[in-house]
Amino acid sequence: MARDGFFISSQLPQQRTFDGVPFPAVLSPNPAAPLRTIVEFTGAIQAEKAHVESLLKSSGAVLFRGYPVQTAADFNQVVESFGYEELPYVGGAAPRTNVTGRVFTANESPPDQKIPFHHEMAQVAEFPSKLFFFCEQEPKSGGETPIVLSHHIYNKMKEKYPDFVEKLEEHGLIYIRVLGEGDDPSSPIGRGWHSTFMTKDKVVAEERAARLGMKIEWTPEGARTIMGPIQAVKFDKSRERKIWFNSMVAAYTGWSDSRNDPTKAVKFGDRSLLPPDVINDCLNILEEECVAIPWKQGDVLLIDNWAVLHSRRSFEPPRRVLASLCK
């Protein structure tokens, strides 16, 4: 459906509709108002920010496709044009590299590894409200970033496993991760404690962990972090609904490397074990309800982290997707 202005709403075959709203919203160039340069595109964003944010609130995610975003520097300008405050990536588990400005690589784990569904940094107290992804180089195959509506997953789980969800809401979750000093690029959670806390000073690391509500136990090889109990179900005040705000499935099925056993990486807040059958079925529900749109070079995806979980599928290289986090 077209509208006057710089953007028109488009449709893709992978989109789904929830409560009459397309998910995600897709914006494409308006032929009547072409945007030929990155400066024109960022100017259009500033002019129509209220419209974009309205789509983001109703849909949960907005995909910009067909715009002149070619480089990391271009992407940085796009992020800056929204005027959101940057959130430093302190406490997150994924190995990332700063590219330019407030732009980082997305999770650098090997291409044959899937990254399960999660809300960004749901395992720490300070998390981004919004996140941007940019496809600088599309993969030969695979490599989608599937997205799924969090309140929809909560409702599905509440209906199917009411006792489990009740316990989850009462006790929350505890996340446990073992870290080395340096980063391990072979692991999806391979960020060492030096980069996790952006320091090599143990005292400073402990202070930064404490601000996140996290405890550090030092080991001969590195550190063990304990986060929680922390809420696994939150209430989205802006939309007045409960959301499945956790990294439970990601931790239980994906926090696996030479240091970490994923089945021990997350527990109920009372330290009792999670039921494997429920976790595995939750993974199935997430996959069944998600939307996975193949990346195209130049795509920019804006996600409301209060509304949407995301993941990453395995892929055939090359693939380069960049990210930026906002408070």
Side-chain angles (χ1 to χ4, degrees):
M1 181 175 65
R3 67 182 294 276
D4 293 331
F6 295 107
F7 305 122
I8 59 171
S9 294
S10 301
Q11 293 182 334
L12 294 175
Q14 297 85 3
Q15 276 176 296
R16 300 177 67 170
T17 300
F18 296 93
D19 300 321
V21 179
F23 177 70
V26 179
L27 293 179
S28 300
N30 184 349
L35 303 170
R36 297 183 175 88
T37 68
I38 191 65
V39 173
E40 291 178 347
F41 180 41
T42 55
I45 289 171
Q46 291 169 339
E48 299 202 23
K49 182 180 174 184
H51 171 58
V52 174
E53 289 185 328
S54 175
L55 287 175
L56 184 66
K57 183 174 181 180
S58 61
S59 181
V62 179
L63 174 66
F64 297 87
R65 173 163 286 183
Y67 296 97
V69 190
Q70 299 179 346
T71 66
D74 290 344
F75 176 49
N76 192 67
Q77 290 187 55
V78 172
V79 175
E80 292 279 6
S81 70
F82 279 87
Y84 303 138
E85 187 176 353
E86 181 181 9
L87 180 76
Y89 189 58
V90 178
R96 300 177 188 263
T97 302
N98 181 232
V99 179
T100 184
R102 44 197 292 185
V103 173
F104 287 77
T105 56
N107 192 315
E108 296 175 348
S109 61
D112 62 333
Q113 296 183 7
K114 294 181 180 180
I115 299 172
F117 281 99
H118 60 286
H119 280 277
E120 189 66 31
M121 298 174 69
Q123 74 278 10
V124 295
E126 187 176 9
F127 51 85
S129 67
K130 299 175 183 69
L131 49 148
F132 290 85
F133 290 107
F134 162 59
C135 180
E136 188 176 48
Q137 186 174 23
E138 61 189 71
K140 286 185 178 180
S141 63
E144 299 94 340
T145 299
I147 53 177
V148 66
L149 287 166
S150 189
H151 76 287
H152 190 59
I153 299 304
Y154 171 81
N155 292 337
K156 289 277 186 181
M157 290 296 292
K158 180 75 171 178
E159 179 181 0
K160 194 168 185 180
Y161 299 106
D163 294 340
F164 172 82
V165 174
E166 182 180 354
K167 184 172 182 179
L168 197 63
E169 293 192 65
E170 179 181 355
H171 296 288
L173 292 169
I174 293 174
Y175 298 93
I176 300 167
R177 186 163 68 94
V178 181
L179 302 76
E181 285 189 350
D183 291 355
D184 176 5
S186 70
S187 166
I189 55 165
R191 207 167 178 224
W193 72 262
H194 288 174
S195 57
T196 295
F197 300 106
M198 298 183 180
T199 183
K200 294 183 179 180
D201 187 320
K202 290 183 177 181
V203 174
V204 174
E206 289 173 357
E207 291 172 349
R208 291 178 178 172
R211 285 199 290 269
L212 296 170
M214 184 184 294
K215 180 182 177 183
I216 298 180
E217 295 177 352
W218 298 108
T219 68
E221 295 79 22
R224 183 173 182 260
T225 60
I226 303 168
M227 182 68 209
I230 190 170
Q231 283 180 300
V233 173
K234 292 184 182 291
F235 185 75
D236 179 358
K237 294 180 181 178
S238 70
R239 299 175 178 88
E240 297 186 332
R241 63 196 188 193
K242 287 185 176 181
I243 52 175
W244 193 252
F245 199 91
N246 59 70
S247 296
M248 178 184 69
V249 168
Y252 197 91
T253 66
W255 284 18
S256 176
D257 60 17
S258 60
R259 298 181 182 88
N260 291 273
D261 176 353
T263 63
K264 299 177 181 177
V266 58
K267 302 176 181 179
F268 280 117
D270 63 0
R271 294 191 176 271
S272 59
L273 299 178
L274 298 173
D277 58 328
V278 176
I279 305 300
N280 290 328
D281 197 31
C282 183
L283 175 60
N284 293 334
I285 291 170
L286 286 160
E287 290 289 348
E288 289 167 1
E289 301 299 326
C290 78
V291 171
I293 297 174
W295 283 111
K296 296 292 185 184
Q297 194 279 325
D299 282 354
V300 174
L301 177 64
L302 169 57
I303 291 176
D304 186 331
N305 198 36
W306 277 93
V308 171
L309 301 100
H310 67 279
S311 65
R312 187 200 77 182
R313 291 183 175 167
S314 57
F315 61 93
E316 182 181 359
R319 174 190 188 268
R320 185 169 168 87
V321 173
L322 307 179
S324 187
L325 311 180
C326 306
K327 286 187 176 180

